[in-house]
Amino acid sequence: MLMNASTRWLGASVLAAVLTAWCLALAAAPASADTVRNAQLWVLNAVGAPQAWPLTEGQGATVAVIDSGVNPNVSDLAGSVITGPDLTGVHTPMSNPNWGVHGTWMASLIAGHGHDGGGSGIMGIAPRSRVLSIRVVTDRKDPGYAAYQHESDSRVQAALAQAIGYAVAHKVSVISMSLGYGEPSAVVRTALQNALDHGV
């Protein structure tokens, strides 16, 4: 079946809305293991993750999550997170409950390995991979959000380029960035090309 650009955009928007709702529901209240795992099975099945796991679960791979930060103390990510620099220009402590919410969600979808022996909680696409957390944006409820919003585009784009460079220098396999900016950036383009040149 052929899809035009608007159909693809609609499909991606629906998937993003469902994933967001799913993550919000998980964050809102503790759930039983079966509820959490069952709620995500359709996503794992849609991308063929269970069929891929006999070949690899991501062991040996490090994924740079360039986002709002990843909480290394979340049980489903325990032992899988390497904390990199905070390039936001704001100083919200990691202990703040509004620090790194989106980044932690994204990292869980990538490298979540469950807890209680793996039978409970979120299972990511690559549950044996590691995550390198590089903080470049703030979440809306982050106490530093207002200050971050007043940063110049050039400073924000330079920080993103720096984050990409840091990821490449630390030999990641993949870079995940669930973010975007309205204007093109030569420094970001150069950093992305460098990542591609290094096989990332």
Side-chain angles (χ1 to χ4, degrees):
M1 178 169 101
L2 296 175
M3 294 190 299
N4 61 29
S6 62
T7 305
R8 286 193 302 272
W9 172 250
L10 178 62
S13 298
V14 170
L15 179 59
V18 170
L19 286 174
T20 299
W22 174 59
C23 287
L24 286 172
L26 293 179
S32 70
D34 290 342
T35 303
V36 172
R37 193 61 57 83
N38 289 340
Q40 77 168 137
L41 279 178
W42 75 270
V43 178
L44 296 173
N45 289 331
V47 299
Q51 290 76 25
W53 288 336
L55 300 174
T56 181
E57 293 184 356
Q59 55 270 31
T62 300
V63 179
V65 176
I66 300 177
D67 207 297
S68 64
V70 178
N71 184 341
N73 299 316
V74 170
S75 58
D76 294 349
L77 290 170
S80 297
V81 179
I82 304 161
T83 301
D86 182 338
L87 304 174
T88 59
V90 301
H91 303 290
T92 304
M94 191 184 295
S95 59
N96 186 289
N98 293 308
W99 182 98
V101 175
H102 186 269
T104 303
W105 288 346
M106 296 302 101
S108 296
L109 294 173
I110 294 166
H113 50 62
H115 55 274
D116 297 334
S120 306
I122 295 175
M123 185 65 68
I125 300 299
R128 293 184 63 195
S129 65
R130 298 192 56 151
V131 167
L132 171 61
S133 170
I134 307 173
R135 180 169 148 96
V136 296
V137 296
T138 62
D139 294 307
R140 286 188 185 276
K141 292 185 179 180
D142 188 300
Y145 180 75
Y148 176 77
Q149 290 300 304
H150 289 94
E151 296 281 350
S152 69
D153 285 347
S154 61
R155 201 213 73 77
V156 168
Q157 291 171 349
L160 177 57
Q162 183 181 348
I164 296 166
Y166 184 92
V168 173
H170 286 79
K171 304 190 183 315
V172 301
S173 307
V174 176
I175 295 174
S176 171
M177 299 182 290
S178 298
L179 49 82
Y181 302 103
E183 298 295 326
S185 168
V187 294
V188 172
R189 184 183 295 269
T190 298
L192 289 171
Q193 187 60 58
N194 181 55
L196 291 170
D197 292 346
H198 282 83
V200 180

